[in-house]
Amino acid sequence: MSQATASKALSKYKVLDLTRARAGPTAARQLADWGAQVIKIETPGSDQTPDFMERHSPDFQNLHRNKRSMTLNLKSHEGLGIFMQLARDADVIVENYRPDVKHRLGIDYESVKAINPRIVYGSISGFGQDGPYVDRPGVDPIVQGMGGHMMVTGEPGRGPMRSGAALSDVGAGLICANGILTALLEREDSGEGQWVQASLIEAMIFLLDFQAARWTMAQDLPEQVGNNHPTNAPVGAFKTKDGYLTISASRSRWRQFCDALGAPELMDRPAYATADLRLNHRYELNADIEVFTQTKTTAEWIEIMNKASIPCGPIYTLEETFNDPQVQHLGIAQTVESETLGSLSLIGQPFRLSRTPNRLVTAAAECGAHTDAILAELGYEADEIAGLRARQVI
């Protein structure tokens, strides 16, 4: 019997999750959280988890909630046969092996398509499924560097800086999930599945957005500008009496910002007369602004700036983020029960649907917790399942 449904939105779809690390599990989680029936396939004979993740860690639990787990030895003939039985009735397969691994195992898109032409097969890799870097291992810290992100992040003169979040991993996972959903929509017309391919390097470049387009369109090479905005000023972090404040007061907001700051004289300075001049003199401008921002507390400035419709906000620790009343109102942190760990608070979905909402229904399953049940759904009897286990197929 399948577990409780996280949402009605994708509940008709069956997904085989072959993923590990972060990018692949992110894609599969996106489907699971919206109700798809996701089976996470793991290696039998151990409770190993990919790379650096301990099974009961926040990382693993956050990535693998709302899924069922079964063990299956894909290197064995019987294990491959069981996988193909599952694949015959599945809608989606998600994997992020190195590109050659699925072909060696015989579970690549063409092999599955031969028995299920409707399959939507999602693959995530570091650098793509072909090309000169196809055999290279790709992980987020490497791709943040190769994708150009580290040279537009951080303060000038301080060297390249990596983001504190795994941007290319999470980005590739979300992009792959989007591709899978696009292929499922197209299948409604064609009746055929297709191979969805995403990579960390493409995700990283895509997430750079206008910074990357500045180069491709105008050969304008973005530089590191720290907390400042690359193309607008004043936008950045400013000292207050008791901390820091972020303010975005560029272009059309300049005059009302000066009034709210209590610094109308800044409007009269020739160096700040236009948006381009303010950008060219940003460091001088920031110093002038901080003369005023340091006279009041962060909370006082937030009240003043909000009344003037100037975008602003405090700079939080994560503890402060999750204690913020608006964040609590939105409910992005959701509670789920784990048989092993008890009550857990994990990160929910960042969007909502009015008619088919989603929820967290299960914590990450113990390794192989649903193996017997899934095999029974395929028609295997108890003695057959025991035999498979004795032969280390499951």
Side-chain angles (χ1 to χ4, degrees), residues 149-357:
H149 177 73
M150 291 174 66
M151 288 305 292
V152 299
T153 303
E155 297 177 344
R158 298 287 296 275
M161 179 66 67
R162 183 173 68 89
S163 289
L167 296 182
S168 69
D169 274 333
V170 176
L174 294 175
I175 289 165
C176 184
N178 187 43
I180 288 168
L181 294 173
T182 302
L184 288 171
L185 282 172
E186 192 279 336
R187 193 180 73 174
E188 296 294 318
D189 292 326
S190 68
E192 296 182 22
Q194 53 189 308
W195 190 8
V196 178
Q197 301 174 35
S199 70
L200 271 62
I201 189 70
E202 290 169 290
M204 189 72 266
I205 294 168
F206 184 80
L207 289 173
L208 283 174
D209 194 52
F210 76 97
Q211 291 280 64
R214 288 171 65 186
W215 170 253
T216 59
M217 182 174 174
Q219 286 72 59
D220 179 10
L221 192 62
E223 299 177 349
Q224 294 169 298
V225 293
N227 290 322
N228 296 300
H229 190 277
T231 58
N232 291 312
V235 179
F238 300 90
K239 289 181 181 178
T240 67
K241 197 172 185 178
D242 63 348
Y244 288 87
L245 174 78
T246 54
I247 297 173
S248 177
S250 61
R251 300 189 182 276
S252 62
R253 298 187 177 97
W254 170 243
R255 181 172 295 275
Q256 66 203 72
F257 168 67
C258 289
D259 288 338
L261 191 66
E265 63 269 25
L266 294 183
M267 288 185 289
D268 298 326
R269 294 193 185 178
Y272 307 151
T274 68
D276 285 343
L277 285 170
R278 291 193 290 276
L279 181 64
N280 292 336
H281 295 88
R282 70 160 87 231
Y283 298 107
E284 177 186 350
L285 175 57
N286 287 352
D288 286 339
I289 290 171
E290 279 197 337
V291 170
F292 294 89
T293 59
Q294 292 182 84
T295 64
K296 291 182 173 63
T297 66
T298 298
E300 288 173 326
W301 281 121
I302 288 173
E303 184 177 359
I304 291 169
M305 294 297 164
N306 279 330
K307 284 182 179 178
S309 297
I310 303 297
C312 65
I315 297 177
Y316 280 158
T317 65
L318 278 174
E319 179 181 12
E320 292 168 322
T321 296
F322 285 106
N323 284 332
D324 183 275
Q326 183 64 29
V327 173
Q328 292 186 346
H329 169 78
L330 293 170
I332 185 93
Q334 296 184 27
T335 300
V336 67
E337 294 299 319
S338 164
E339 292 183 5
T340 304
L341 301 172
S343 182
L344 306 178
S345 181
L346 303 174
I347 309 305
Q349 283 293 313
F351 70 93
R352 50 184 50 84
L353 300 180
S354 62
R355 189 169 47 78
T356 56

